[in-house]
């Protein structure tokens, strides 16, 4: 490990996830006990690390000198109460870095910012600072924790790459991990396979409503087609199902990434037992 490439900040957050029934948790309430009002209080310990790394290089792109900057910022889960999170950690490494390696996250990050052969930029040496120019190239990965509930946690992953051209290429996705089932939420485990027509209809109704057009007329809102496919990039946020589409998936770059929010009641008949358990009260 090259220690100069990593800045590792441990964030230990105790009592970060409070499961509260009938009222707000009071400071100092003991796990699994009632407070003065009789409300049941459960407190879970949450621990994570913020791993930040950045390294710049000088190179030659075939026409002129150039620079390449590689960077990563990862909010890495270490503990969510007593939940088993190894499957979550493995899925985050795969989603962010495309690797299922058993290596630790710090080794994976270090490899990401030090391995430059795949960029074909004639990298010659590292540099301490970069003067921004049209030949300043970059690739960055950002992993952040989103919503956390007693049932699940959602993470967002963003990769931004600029290797020339009119604009950077951005790929984003969110993933939700179910604590009790030890599974990443997907359209395969969230819905019954024979009810995907219900999901398709709900996605397109929601997309039309969000865009201010009638169902079946999404091209009027700038989409490539009048109907959207069901995106495999699915997560849960604030109790709703979010279907994510990256730039160019269903619309021009200028429209950005598209999130279509579908509420569980609109796909209730399509939810699998896993989905009903996860999205139920």
């Amino acid at each position: 490990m090259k220690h100069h490439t990593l800045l590792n900040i441990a964030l230990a957050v105790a009592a970060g996830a409070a499961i509260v029934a009938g009222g707000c948790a009071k400071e100092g309430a003991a796990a699994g006990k009632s407070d003065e009002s009789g409300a049941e209080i459960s407190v879970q310990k949450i621990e994570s690390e913020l791993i930040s790394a950045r390294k710049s290089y000088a190179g030659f792109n075939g026409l002129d000198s150039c620079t390449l900057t590689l960077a990563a910022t990862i909010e890495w889960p270490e503990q969510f109460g007593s939940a088993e999170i190894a499957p979550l950690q493995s899925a985050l490494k795969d989603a962010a870095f495309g690797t299922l390696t058993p290596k630790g996250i710090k080794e994976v990050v270090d490899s990401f910012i030090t391995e430059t052969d795949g960029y074909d930029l004639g990298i010659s040496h590292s540099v301490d600072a970069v003067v921004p120019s049209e030949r300043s190239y970059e690739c960055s990965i950002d992993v952040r924790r989103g919503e956390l509930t007693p049932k699940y946690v959602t993470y967002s992953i963003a990769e931004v790459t600029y290797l020339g051209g009119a604009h950077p290429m951005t790929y984003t996705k969110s993933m939700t991990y179910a604590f009790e089932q030890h599974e990443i939420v997907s359209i395969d485990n969230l819905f019954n396979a024979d009810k995907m027509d219900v999901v398709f209809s709900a996605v397109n109704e929601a997309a039309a409503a969000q865009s201010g057009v009638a169902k079946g007329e999404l091209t009027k809102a700038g989409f490539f087609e009048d109907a959207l496919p069901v995106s495999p990039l699915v997560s849960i946020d604030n109790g709703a199902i979010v279907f994510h589409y990256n730039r160019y998936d269903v619309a021009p770059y200028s429209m950005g990434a598209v999130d279509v929010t579908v509420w569980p009641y609109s796909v209730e008949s399509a939810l699998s037992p896993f989905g009903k358990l996860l999205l139920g009260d």
Side-chain angles (χ1 to χ4, degrees):
M1 176 73 67
K2 299 175 178 63
H3 296 286
H4 66 278
T5 64
L6 291 176
L7 172 61
N8 181 20
I9 305 173
L11 302 176
V13 184
I19 308 173
V20 184
C24 295
K26 295 186 177 180
E27 185 178 357
K33 296 185 178 181
S34 300
D35 67 3
E36 294 86 343
S37 69
E40 188 71 19
I41 306 297
S42 178
V43 178
Q44 298 185 43
K45 185 177 181 181
I46 301 168
E47 291 187 355
S48 60
E49 291 183 326
L50 183 62
I51 303 170
S52 180
R54 185 180 184 89
K55 196 171 181 67
S56 296
Y57 302 87
F60 186 79
N61 66 2
L63 297 174
D64 207 341
S65 59
C66 64
T67 60
L68 172 68
T69 297
L70 304 177
T73 302
I74 314 296
E75 189 174 354
W76 185 249
E78 290 288 351
Q79 179 182 359
F80 288 113
S82 59
E84 171 58 57
I85 63 169
L88 169 63
Q89 293 172 323
S90 178
L92 286 174
K93 281 192 292 186
D94 184 33
F97 300 100
T99 177
L100 294 173
T101 176
K103 291 181 180 179
I105 184 60
K106 296 171 191 175
E107 292 179 84
V108 172
V109 170
D110 193 72
S111 294
F112 170 73
I113 65 167
T114 56
E115 296 177 1
T116 61
D117 291 346
Y119 292 94
D120 193 25
L121 291 174
I123 299 301
S124 57
H125 61 279
S126 62
V127 294
D128 294 330
V130 170
V131 178
S133 75
E134 63 181 11
R135 296 180 300 280
S136 298
Y137 305 134
E138 66 173 286
C139 182
S140 64
I141 292 177
D142 189 273
V143 177
R144 302 283 180 173
R145 193 185 80 196
E147 184 181 25
L148 172 64
T149 77
K151 291 184 178 181
Y152 61 81
V153 62
T154 296
Y155 278 81
S156 63
I157 301 102
E159 179 179 354
V160 179
T161 303
Y162 179 71
L163 296 174
H167 48 67
M169 294 300 298
T170 302
Y171 178 83
T172 54
K173 69 176 294 183
S174 293
M175 63 167 54
T176 298
Y177 179 71
F179 292 124
E180 184 176 344
Q181 295 80 12
H182 307 158
E183 289 189 57
I184 300 295
V185 171
S186 69
I187 58 174
D188 293 328
N189 60 23
L190 197 60
F191 303 109
N192 292 313
D194 61 347
K195 295 289 186 178
M196 289 307 295
D197 58 327
V198 175
V199 181
F200 175 83
S201 179
V203 166
N204 280 280
E205 286 183 7
Q210 289 178 199
S211 303
V213 298
K215 183 180 178 182
E217 297 183 353
L218 287 175
T219 53
K220 292 183 178 180
F223 290 90
F224 294 144
E225 304 289 343
D226 280 324
L228 300 184
V230 176
S231 174
L233 301 180
V234 62
S235 61
I236 299 174
D237 182 59
N238 197 30
I241 306 166
V242 180
F243 295 87
H244 183 73
Y245 302 84
N246 275 287
R247 282 183 165 96
Y248 292 129
D249 283 351
V250 294
Y253 183 92
S254 59
M255 284 183 62
V258 175
D259 284 331
V260 177
T261 300
V262 172
W263 292 98
Y265 70 83
S266 66
V267 291
E268 185 175 4
S269 64
L271 290 174
S272 67
F274 168 81
K276 290 178 180 178
L277 182 64
L278 198 61
L279 293 165
D281 295 332

